[in-house]
Amino acid sequence: MPTPGSSVGLADSAGSVSSTGPAGSLPPTGPATSVTAVTPGTDPSRPAADQSANRVLGWFSRRLAAWKSPATTEAHRQDDSPASDTRPADPVPGGASPPLPHPDWTGGSDSAVEAVQPKAPARRAAPAPDFPAPVQPAKPVAPRPARRAEVTEAATEGAPCPNCGTINPPGRRFCRNCATRLDESTPDTEGAGRSRRHRSGSGALTRRLILLGLLIIVVLAAVAFFPLGERLYQDILDKTSKTVPAVPATESATAEVPGHPATAAADGATNRYWGAPAVGASIEFTFPQPIRLLTIVTHTGPSAKLEDFQLEARATLVDVTTTSADGTTADLTLNLADEPGPQELDTAISDVTKIRLTIKAAAGLTPGKHIALGEVEFFRRS
């Protein structure tokens, strides 16, 4: 058993001494190691440098043992601390310099420790995951428009297209602009220009002819349908306007019976009448200004009373002729029933200035009797 102040060392299985150090700082155990006491001698003249070297070798031995035995690493670290080495230093003879401090206390021996102590294997970096990691959504940025190089079409020599006039290179079967089939015997450029101008001129002439034909059709339609349109317009006004009596300015007859003048036919009384001596006699009424004649109301016979109605002959068929302000005439037929009372005839004639009534047939006409026309009334649009 070593005594205090003696040096100890570790020997490996081959028996070689690996390190020496203080007895109190030996590791408790270690794999494949044995402890051998070494007495350096008691010669007081032993150099202090040898003693410091032995102390360094002992520290290396303890570190090696701690590395080989991980279970006792913590205990060895505690033993290796500077506080655990409480053995007093050997006396320095002749006032020599004191021994070097423990390697743990200086930074100069760290390189020696690193040279002796094996390095731990380096850790391999974890492989990057195969799946993509989540990323923060970014604001979309519109791609910048790419600038296209301007392509200038080289001048092409060849025949123009008969449809659009585009110049096509020789050998093409179809136009490169409108895909019209190109004739193999296409005329030259000058002839094609003349042909194109000719076609454009003929097209303009055709369009003019079509427009002229449409205009003629519109004019003819207006002329043909104007009376119908005018009649329709007047009919609407007739139905929406008020009807008032139209009083004639003058009355005249081609023949009349004494005591029964033509003026009695428009005096407003049904017990006075115009007496015509025979069939064929006529009576004419004139108006001071043109009127829109709507209705003619006729009272036939000498009286509206039934017992006096058959005392004279009664007109049953009358021709009505109207004359307008422009001289045009209109003929109507008035069929009268052989009975007392008013009988209406709708006319709807514009600008009427004169009306003539001609008796064509009569009932009860016997010798000694004449034809009686009781009253004639006219109505116009207000």
Side-chain angles (χ1 to χ4, degrees):
M1 182 172 182
T3 61
S6 61
S7 299
V8 295
L10 277 180
D12 54 10
S13 60
S16 61
V17 178
S18 61
S19 64
T20 61
S25 61
L26 285 175
T29 58
T33 59
S34 61
V35 179
T36 305
V38 179
T39 301
T42 59
D43 188 0
S45 63
R46 184 180 177 184
D50 293 343
Q51 296 178 14
S52 298
N54 291 338
R55 193 175 291 113
V56 172
L57 291 176
W59 181 83
F60 283 146
S61 177
R62 289 191 300 274
R63 283 297 180 93
L64 181 60
W67 177 74
K68 290 183 178 182
S69 179
T72 60
T73 301
E74 187 64 28
H76 291 176
R77 289 179 180 176
Q78 295 176 1
D79 293 342
D80 292 344
S81 62
S84 64
D85 192 359
T86 58
R87 183 175 60 84
D90 293 339
V92 180
S97 61
L100 295 174
H102 195 277
D104 287 342
W105 303 337
T106 61
S109 61
D110 289 345
S111 59
V113 174
E114 293 176 359
V116 177
Q117 184 178 359
K119 296 182 179 180
R123 293 182 179 180
R124 299 178 61 184
D130 295 337
F131 56 88
V135 296
Q136 184 83 9
K139 183 178 180 181
V141 179
R144 300 181 65 180
R147 186 174 182 181
R148 296 182 179 180
E150 297 183 359
V151 179
T152 57
E153 185 178 358
T156 305
E157 295 182 358
C161 173
N163 182 36
C164 65
T166 302
I167 303 299
N168 293 273
R172 288 188 64 93
R173 299 179 58 188
F174 298 93
C175 177
R176 59 177 178 171
N177 183 37
C178 63
T180 302
R181 185 178 182 85
L182 302 176
D183 189 4
E184 295 181 356
S185 59
T186 305
D188 57 356
T189 307
E190 184 179 358
R194 290 195 301 268
S195 177
R196 190 161 55 251
R197 288 192 297 270
H198 176 70
R199 286 195 302 270
S200 63
S202 62
L205 179 60
T206 303
R207 288 192 295 270
R208 292 191 186 96
L209 291 177
I210 292 174
L211 292 176
L212 181 60
L214 291 176
L215 181 60
I216 293 175
I217 291 174
V218 170
V219 171
L220 292 178
V223 172
F225 291 101
F226 179 77
L228 180 62
E230 178 68 17
R231 187 180 305 173
L232 180 62
Y233 174 72
Q234 295 296 338
D235 289 344
I236 294 174
L237 292 180
D238 293 343
K239 290 179 174 59
T240 56
S241 301
K242 185 179 179 181
T243 303
V244 295
V247 179
T250 60
E251 303 88 9
S252 60
T254 57
E256 57 186 22
V257 177
H260 301 282
T263 56
D267 59 359
T270 58
N271 57 352
R272 293 193 294 268
Y273 62 89
W274 165 62
V279 174
S282 63
I283 185 172
E284 188 174 85
F285 305 89
T286 59
F287 299 92
Q289 58 185 5
I291 63 171
R292 170 72 176 177
L293 182 63
L294 300 180
T295 307
I296 299 176
V297 178
T298 306
H299 297 262
T300 187
S303 176
K305 296 179 180 180
L306 184 59
E307 59 273 12
D308 298 334
F309 179 74
Q310 297 180 354
L311 294 179
E312 299 293 340
R314 290 84 51 194
T316 56
L317 181 62
V318 179
D319 287 342
V320 180
T321 303
T322 63
T323 304
S324 300
D326 57 356
T328 59
T329 60
D331 295 328
L332 302 173
T333 300
L334 177 60
N335 294 310
L336 299 174
D338 190 15
E339 59 185 16
Q343 301 183 46
E344 297 182 2
L345 174 65
D346 294 331
T347 56
I349 303 174
S350 299
D351 298 333
V352 175
T353 58
K354 187 185 301 184
I355 301 174
R356 184 176 69 250
L357 278 67
T358 303
I359 299 175
K360 293 295 182 180
L365 183 59
T366 58
K369 292 183 177 182
H370 56 267
I371 303 171
L373 187 63
E375 186 72 20
V376 181
E377 299 176 293
F378 307 98
F379 292 88
R380 65 178 179 85
R381 187 176 67 199
S382 61

